[in-house]
Amino acid sequence: MPARSTSIAVPPLADPGLAPVGTLPGVGPALAATLAKIGLERVQDLWFHLPLRYEDKTRVTAIGDLKAGERAQVVGAVEAVERGFRYRPQLKVAIGDDSRQTLLLRFFHFHRAQADQLKPGVRLLCYGEVRHGAQGLEMVHPQYQRVGDEQAVAVDDRLSPIYPTTEGLGQKRLAGVIDKALALLPPDAALELIPPPLCLAHGLTSLREALLYVHRPPPDAPLADLTNGSHPAQQRLAFEELLTQHLSLKRMRAAVRRRRAPALDGNGELRGRFVGSLPFQLTGAQLRVTRDVLADIACAKPMLRLVQGDVGSGKTAVAAMAALAAVEAGWQVALMAPTELLAEQHLRNFRHWLEPLGIHVQWLAGKQQGKARAQALACVADGAPVVIGTHALMQEGVAFSRLGLVIVDEQHRFGVQQRLALRDKGLEGDLVPHQLVLTATPIPRTLAMSAYADLDVSSIDELPPGRTLVQTVAVSNARRVEVIERIHAACAEGRQAYWVCTLIEESEQLRAQAAEVAHAELSAALEGCSVGLIHGRMKPKEKQAVMDAFKAGGLSVLVATTVIEVGVDVPNASLMVIENSERLGLAQLHQLRGRVGRGAVASNCVLLYQPPLGQLARERLNVMRETCDGFRIAEKDLQLRGPGEVLGTRQTGQLAFRIADLARDAHLLPAVQQVGEAMLRQHPRDAERLIERWIGAAARYAHA
Ligand code: ADP
Ligand code: MG
């Protein structure tokens, strides 16, 4: 490569991975700025920006051989075109091929010119997901291109990687830039940070080859292995990623525990008034965990505690008790949540609970601008007792005056580095805030030791009384129309329903689009019902307006992406439909289902799936039908998801890992721990570089 052969002037030790992406040929300032939005700032960030999944456009499937639930490529000639306008514009295009079967292509968003092009006889090469529709198999919003008559269609010769991306950055362009970065990939001796004897001892193969393989799988690469993450190249990278996380947690814990924290030991007066004002009594489990937390923060050593408790177990009240102890002792509390929606809900709860006690609760969000932001910042710097927000709380320019306690909700959405960043907002000298992490994803002890190697753990193992169990059924998507009718009937009785779209797409934009499509479909089918839509690309105000309308009963059905996964609380919603439920892990299904069953009415959850169901998917759905107990579900999850299982949390939009999956890759953990300990003892500098390589960029990514 020219970049290397002409680099004689550069000192031999210069690491090409540390060069800014702008030094790559063809990457100008505009593209560099777009790449920076997803944390891709240096060449090595591109090396480690790993595909989410792969598309197989190496073959063409006959329409007659298509199966619902698969992604496939077909070639067909347009047979009929219909443009509907009943509630929303809709373009339906029927195509056929030699297999004498018809496939329907459906578009809810289209341009006139696009529709005009699709005339009978035109041949199309389409790629998309096949599903059951009212008139047989269909693809909604497939990718397509026109192909000439009769001429042989050129197919790809290898799998196409699909990367996480952002608006304005197409897959082709991103893959092109990654290609250029890969050309600078040094030989293993320079790239590898795990000392060779340790690699050898644990059978770790070439990092360079693993990276090249996952970015550019050869033509004969096994799609099934790559899809479920069991390919040796992926496992090699997963090992390194898990190792990095382990190192970072260990290092962090050691560093924090060497410092001091303020002793938060008020007299309990505020807590007493708070408990007295609650319309319910705290459960035994809430009280026990609260005691753990209060004992920790009363000491001058920084608390690092994880509170795990099932969905609805009442973690927020425990957090409020801790917050009151801090406020009482004259210190500030920061509470951060992974989504704006959830942060806003905490804001309302805390204002409702704490303002009657004379405690100001300050909002600080990333989207706040201008005067509002300046005011919020001034208020925080001036010592606002309780500050609530998203990860904006960690941004530059946010200064606390006396931060004594940091509460992080739903930790599985946050990376370790975010926790660290907020802690560094800490105090003068060696004084740091206490830290309380809340999670609704209970994980078995062995995993907890690795995933949360830096934390002590308490469990809220009891739900408040009076919760109704959610009746759960699994229904094939072939009966989609029936399910929609059932929603229609339920809404006519005044019930409210969630319709959750779980399409696993590579950008928030595409996820939003999938939800829009479902919204159009349901709006058309549910005559007389008002159907709302909420997704991650809406403005906070819009989201709030939709949530408020749903909460107030103005909307019967809420079509949502998994933005509603955590924390949303609408007690009257008693019906939930989860699309493509077979693709989700148990933990996520459980989180989603936790949105219903919050009120007194009997609740139902419909798990829609695309047949045929694989063995594991079937077992997962069975577990969901049989139990609502989060701890049981977590254990089942781990049991079912042995190595090689298809679905990783990684594919469901969580940013914590790029390639590793704690459940799937649990078998790697013992070796990870051994290598980790050896590196911390003998090669601390390489350990640092590893963290910088994997997590440095992830932390920036999360700020995007
Ligand atoms: P999660 O643990 O999922 O964050 P929340 O803190 O949001 O749960 O609590 C869920 C609901 O239960 C809230 O409406 C909350 O007010 C209520 N709640 C919390 N603790 C109790 C309790 N001890 N008894 C009755 N209701 C409770
Ligand atoms: Mg919660």
Side-chain angles (χ1 to χ4, degrees):
M1 285 308 298
R4 287 192 65 76
S5 56
T6 57
S7 64
I8 299 159
V10 178
L13 283 179
D15 181 348
L18 296 180
V21 292
T23 59
L24 292 170
V27 180
L31 180 52
T34 308
L35 290 167
K37 276 204 264 173
I38 46 173
L40 305 175
E41 293 171 354
R42 293 170 306 179
V43 168
Q44 72 176 16
D45 296 339
L46 290 164
W47 297 340
F48 288 88
H49 191 65
L50 303 178
L52 272 177
R53 60 184 170 84
Y54 298 88
E55 283 181 355
D56 184 0
K57 295 183 187 166
T58 61
R59 12 185 212 118
V60 168
T61 306
I63 292 177
D65 293 339
L66 291 176
K67 291 194 195 73
E70 286 177 347
R71 289 175 186 260
Q73 179 165 258
V74 298
V75 178
V78 174
E79 293 175 345
V81 181
E82 188 188 315
R83 288 169 79 164
F85 288 98
R86 202 152 81 104
Y87 291 91
R88 295 204 151 208
Q90 194 184 142
L91 176 65
K92 296 201 258 181
V93 179
I95 62 169
D97 64 7
D98 296 340
S99 66
R100 312 184 82 93
Q101 301 265 347
T102 301
L103 175 70
L104 187 68
L105 314 179
R106 282 219 278 167
F107 301 87
F108 294 98
H109 298 272
F110 54 93
H111 303 295
R112 170 185 284 272
Q114 185 184 358
D116 290 344
Q117 269 192 348
L118 299 173
K119 293 209 169 62
V122 168
R123 276 176 94 221
L124 300 175
L125 175 66
C126 309
Y127 178 87
E129 181 174 343
V130 183
R131 57 179 235 180
H132 287 291
Q135 291 131 12
L137 294 181
E138 63 180 31
M139 283 184 184
V140 177
H141 280 260
Q143 305 167 18
Y144 72 88
Q145 66 189 72
R146 289 181 63 162
V147 288
D149 300 336
E150 298 312 317
Q151 121 210 356
V153 174
V155 294
D156 292 353
D157 65 349
R158 58 186 63 217
L159 300 174
S160 341
I162 302 297
Y163 294 101
T165 185
T166 184
E167 209 165 337
L169 181 60
Q171 290 293 334
K172 275 223 174 80
R173 194 130 175 263
L174 179 53
V177 180
I178 290 175
D179 254 339
K180 287 177 188 149
L182 289 173
L184 302 181
L185 206 56
D188 265 310
L191 184 67
E192 186 59 77
L193 294 175
I194 306 173
L198 291 174
C199 283
L200 205 64
H202 293 275
L204 298 178
T205 52
S206 158
L207 174 61
R208 180 187 152 86
E209 273 167 35
L211 281 173
L212 290 173
Y213 195 98
V214 300
H215 283 293
R216 304 285 167 264
D220 58 349
L223 179 62
D225 291 356
L226 285 174
T227 300
N228 67 29
S230 66
H231 190 277
Q234 292 166 307
Q235 289 284 297
R236 170 65 180 79
L237 294 170
F239 183 96
E240 185 159 325
E241 188 174 31
L242 289 170
L243 172 65
T244 303
Q245 158 157 320
H246 182 83
L247 290 171
S248 134
L249 290 169
K250 283 288 183 203
R251 182 189 67 161
M252 198 166 96
R253 181 173 179 93
V256 171
R257 297 293 285 185
R258 276 196 298 271
R259 295 162 85 174
R260 287 184 311 117
L264 306 177
D265 52 358
N267 60 14
E269 194 257 343
L270 283 175
R271 292 198 303 276
R273 282 167 59 198
F274 168 63
V275 170
S277 75
L278 285 175
F280 48 76
Q281 286 204 316
L282 295 176
T283 62
Q286 281 172 315
L287 289 170
R288 177 172 47 73
V289 172
T290 300
R291 271 198 302 276
D292 287 350
V293 172
L294 294 179
D296 281 355
I297 62 179
C299 299
K301 229 179 191 318
M303 169 177 75
L304 290 168
R305 185 169 291 278
L306 174 75
V307 167
Q308 56 174 8
D310 210 345
V311 198
S313 61
K315 293 182 289 293
T316 321
V318 172
M321 293 287 272
L324 287 169
V327 171
E328 201 162 65
W331 293 83
Q332 284 177 292
V333 180
L335 167 57
M336 60 175 187
T339 67
E340 198 124 333
L341 200 62
L342 191 53
E344 283 160 10
Q345 188 168 288
H346 279 315
L347 179 71
R348 281 193 301 279
N349 265 331
F350 272 71
R351 285 201 165 143
H352 178 72
W353 283 340
L354 303 194
E355 288 192 339
L357 305 177
I359 300 169
H360 172 66
V361 180
Q362 178 63 43
W363 174 243
L364 184 62
K367 304 238 167 69
Q368 261 171 330
Q369 292 295 331
K371 231 178 159 179
R373 181 164 184 83
Q375 266 173 6
L377 288 175
C379 196
V380 173
D382 201 37
V386 179
V387 183
I388 297 185
T390 56
H391 57 245
L393 281 182
M394 297 176 304
Q395 280 166 3
E396 299 292 322
V398 180
F400 290 83
S401 78
R402 277 164 68 79
L403 184 58
L405 172 66
V406 171
I407 303 172
V408 182
D409 193 13
E410 308 292 353
Q411 123 82 18
H412 66 290
R413 287 292 181 105
F414 283 105
V416 168
Q417 292 299 312
Q418 284 104 303
R419 280 196 242 150
L420 190 62
L422 189 59
R423 186 161 30 215
D424 286 347
K425 287 279 165 223
L427 308 158
E428 310 286 296
D430 68 343
L431 214 53
V432 294
H434 294 282
Q435 189 161 201
L436 178 63
V437 177
L438 311 176
T439 178
T441 312
I443 47 177
R445 185 98 206 127
T446 45
L447 278 187
M449 279 173 55
S450 170
Y452 302 119
D454 59 330
L455 300 169
D456 298 313
V457 178
S458 303
S459 298
I460 307 183
D461 50 8
E462 178 186 354
L463 286 181
R467 291 284 155 84
T468 52
L469 284 187
V470 181
Q471 288 290 336
T472 302
V473 292
V475 175
S476 158
N477 200 39
R479 289 166 55 200
R480 190 182 179 88
V481 176
E482 253 174 76
V483 170
I484 294 175
E485 269 163 23
R486 182 165 160 190
I487 294 186
H488 210 167
C491 292
E493 288 167 15
R495 291 176 66 184
Q496 287 179 284
Y498 292 102
W499 182 284
V500 188
C501 297
T502 59
L503 272 190
I504 299 156
E505 298 292 359
E506 57 269 22
S507 72
E508 195 64 53
Q509 190 185 3
L510 288 177
R511 280 193 288 272
Q513 191 189 337
E516 280 170 13
V517 168
H519 178 249
E521 178 191 2
L522 290 175
S523 302
L526 298 174
E527 235 168 298
C529 293
S530 48
V531 182
L533 172 66
I534 191 160
H535 58 67
R537 277 177 48 89
M538 289 161 58
K539 297 205 170 74
K541 271 216 179 88
E542 296 167 353
K543 279 191 278 189
Q544 196 53 55
V546 173
M547 280 318 294
D548 287 346
F550 189 58
K551 219 166 181 162
L555 292 171
S556 305
V557 178
L558 184 61
V559 176
T561 56
T562 48
V563 295
I564 63 148
E565 178 191 343
V566 281
V568 171
D569 198 19
V570 180
N572 189 50
S574 63
L575 182 58
M576 170 171 286
V577 179
I578 305 178
E579 280 204 78
N580 299 308
S581 58
E582 79 282 1
R583 295 182 180 179
L584 299 188
L586 278 171
Q588 204 182 13
L589 285 172
H590 180 64
Q591 283 292 313
L592 283 169
R593 183 173 61 180
R595 302 307 113 216
V596 291
R598 308 204 133 216
V601 283
S603 297
N604 302 81
C605 176
V606 178
L607 305 172
L608 265 187
Y609 64 84
Q610 286 286 4
L613 272 185
Q615 171 69 14
L616 282 162
R618 182 181 309 274
E619 281 189 53
R620 268 202 305 263
L621 296 187
N622 278 341
V623 173
M624 289 301 293
R625 286 179 13 208
E626 282 159 15
T627 183
C628 290
D629 176 340
F631 284 87
R632 266 201 63 200
I633 288 176
E635 291 200 337
K636 269 291 195 190
D637 198 17
L638 194 67
Q639 205 180 312
L640 289 180
R641 299 208 279 173
E645 154 60 336
V646 178
L647 254 168
T649 45
R650 169 178 98 77
Q651 292 171 304
T652 53
Q654 297 179 14
L655 296 180
F657 287 107
R658 296 166 200 209
I659 195 157
D661 177 319
L662 269 182
R664 182 193 69 206
D665 302 328
H667 63 288
L668 299 174
L669 291 174
V672 162
Q673 283 174 13
Q674 283 173 29
V675 174
E677 252 120 71
M679 280 188 75
L680 283 176
R681 266 198 323 272
Q682 296 153 15
H683 308 276
R685 281 208 42 202
D686 288 333
E688 266 331 288
R689 287 179 64 200
L690 211 50
I691 292 170
E692 170 62 15
R693 173 190 280 175
W694 280 89
I695 297 181
R700 295 197 300 275
Y701 185 24
H703 285 268

